[in-house]
Amino acid sequence: MDLTGLTLRVAAARPHVLLAAVPGGTAVRLAAERLLRARDWPRASTPAQADLLFVAGPDLPELRTPLERLWRDMPAPRARVHARTADEVEDALNAGRALLGSPAVRHASAAPPADAGGHREGDHGARERHEGDDQTPGHDGHGDHGGHGGHGGHGGHGGHSGGQTEMPGGLPMAGQGADRDGLTLDQLHLPLGPFLADWPAGLTVRLVLQGDVVQRVDVDEPARPIDDAAAEAFWAQPWLRAASGEPVPVGEAVRRRAAAHLDSLGRLLAVAGWPAEAVRARRLRDDLLYGAPGAAVAPRLERFTRRVGRSRTLAWLTRGIGVVTAQKAREAGVGGPAARAGGDVTSRYRQWLADIRHDLPRLEDPAPLDVAVEDSPRGPWSAEHPPSAALIALLPRLLEGAELAAARLVVASLDPDPDELVSRGVVEVARG
């Protein structure tokens, strides 16, 4: 019996896809997520679960090394494809399935030549994975969970370096240092990103831990694409266009803003361990992006915002984590939902829900967009000072002193968008 051939046929029929999005690749990621859901191809959250590595977005040389680490961590048979634009997504997924179904993937030497990003598509990885669709927060059955003052969290750090530096034996090297009680404890250097599941594209946050407490945080500068014109700040596009003098309807902008909040909620709900609602958030996001009439989507959005906003379990999981007052947020240059919420992770996701409800009646508003009046999804838009830059700068303040289990929830509740820092309009302003 040809077990290898059978494995190849199973993997090719319904590949488990590890989606690695890079800064500037949001439109590609969204197109891939929508098509994967339509085809019922499972999403992998770690390389060990994946058959197909799908790289979404422009070429970023600085991220080739972490992408290679992801690739090496995938078991055979495996394949890799790269879509730089949303129009390339379907062809790339079809090519990946064809590669997985080919006997050539049995031999690494039979992999196709490297593409323009320096990547190869080749062999490796079939794993079966099923997720329930009726689970409550904190019980998704995947990732590492830990306590946070009685709260559950989603560590999401186990079994997957996400392009992070590894030491001998696959573990980071521990040093020593005094903790806050004056005791000498091992210090562990742990990078998060740039390719964790449900994580801002390309963001790398470097933690120094003592025990499970974050002692120090450093954030890497976002990687930039080879061609600046290839990157776009997808969620801020209506504001970029309006700022350049193009007439943009308010309805288009608030629709994009509500979809951005649903995208952020999808990440946070997945990290918190509520995959069923994360999927619903993403379906609603896609309905808004593809022009569903407000009257058609409003009842489902109302049910979603009510269900998530009233969830006692989700509030319990996130209460007291990552607290920042409205005043402190504004002093740090943060605006938008994070500043208006003025509180913890619970306050911030509830602010997203409130903003979505506020925008629902305005989805068809034909009035011209005034960027000085309407905030972009993450705050008042400025190419000189993109709102996500302030959100990223706020991360060390919120993460230092927190427990590791809370770190990903804090990041998800701010959800900075690295696209804003590398898009064409912002880069042009930065260069003067």
Side-chain angles (χ1 to χ4, degrees), residues 157-204:
H157 320 305
H160 170 201
S161 69
Q164 301 156 9
T165 303
E166 293 181 353
M167 300 300 177
L171 297 174
M173 192 70 71
Q176 286 191 328
D179 77 346
R180 55 192 173 190
D181 297 319
L183 303 175
T184 299
L185 298 176
D186 283 344
Q187 287 184 329
L188 185 68
H189 294 255
L190 178 67
L192 301 182
F195 295 120
L196 287 172
D198 301 302
W199 181 260
L203 180 69
T204 300

Side-chain angles (χ1 to χ4, degrees), residues 35 38 147:
L35 190 53

Side-chain angles (χ1 to χ4, degrees), residues 255-298:
R255 181 179 289 267
R256 184 68 61 99
R257 182 169 62 199
H261 292 338
L262 287 164
D263 188 58
S264 297
L265 283 161
R267 280 202 181 112
L268 185 138
L269 292 166
V271 170
W274 203 356
E277 290 307 312
V279 170
R280 288 188 181 96
R282 288 160 179 161
R283 285 175 174 158
L284 288 163
R285 172 201 70 192
D286 291 347
D287 287 346
L288 288 177
L289 289 175
Y290 283 85
V297 76

